[in-house]
């Protein structure tokens, strides 16, 4: 059974860092595009960053460019989202999602079929 499990969320002060992990089981990530999405209370789910199935292409929302980095470790069947210089507006539930043979563009929720359960990220002093 295809499953994605996010971890690494938590409470962090503004300017701090977190690294989210998305571990896959039941399938091999190599052939899937993986996206990180987030949803804040009262807002629609939005794309944060996506990485193509080839691993060579990445895509970032303008709001996180220069602060967040997506990467994949196919040996560990895991994708990471390194988040630096966090801001209060980054507070949200973060989800990872997978799409077979997908591209990093577009990085939109409707393009992805398989979803994890989400992990809460709270940026507050």
């Amino acid at each position: 059974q295809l499953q994605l499990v996010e971890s690494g969320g938590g409470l962090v002060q503004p300017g701090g860092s977190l690294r989210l992990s998305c571990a896959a089981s039941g399938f091999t990530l190599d052939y899937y595009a993986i996206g990180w999405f987030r949803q804040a209370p009262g807002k629609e789910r939005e794309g944060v960053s996506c990485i193509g199935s080839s691993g060579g292409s990445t895509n970032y929302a303008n709001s996180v460019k220069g602060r967040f980095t997506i990467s994949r470790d196919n040996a560990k069947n895991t994708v990471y989202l390194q988040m630096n210089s966090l801001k209060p507006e980054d507070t949200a539930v973060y989800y990872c999602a997978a799409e077979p043979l997908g591209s990093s563009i577009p990085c939109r929720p409707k393009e992805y079929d398989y979803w994890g359960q989400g992990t809460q990220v709270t940026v507050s002093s």
Side-chain angles (χ1 to χ4, degrees), residues 2-81:
L2 191 152
Q3 191 173 14
L4 295 167
V5 178
E6 303 96 335
S7 61
L11 173 64
V12 63
Q13 292 187 342
S17 298
L18 285 174
R19 188 177 79 158
L20 304 184
S21 299
C22 173
S25 61
F27 70 106
T28 303
L29 277 180
D30 303 38
Y31 306 108
Y32 287 74
I34 303 297
W36 283 99
F37 302 88
R38 67 187 181 187
Q39 188 165 20
K43 294 189 176 181
E44 292 186 354
R45 192 170 298 188
E46 64 175 356
V48 175
S49 181
C50 294
I51 186 166
S53 57
S54 65
S57 66
T58 57
N59 189 13
Y60 295 92
N62 287 334
S63 59
V64 306
K65 279 181 182 176
R67 300 189 297 123
F68 290 11
T69 303
I70 191 170
S71 62
R72 62 195 303 158
D73 185 337
N74 289 340
K76 294 184 177 180
N77 221 26
T78 301
V79 171
Y80 304 99
L81 184 68

Side-chain angles (χ1 to χ4, degrees), residues 84-100:
N84 298 329
S85 302
L86 282 161
K87 305 175 181 180
E89 52 263 42
D90 294 318
T91 295
V93 177
Y94 283 70
Y95 301 88
C96 68
E99 176 64 20

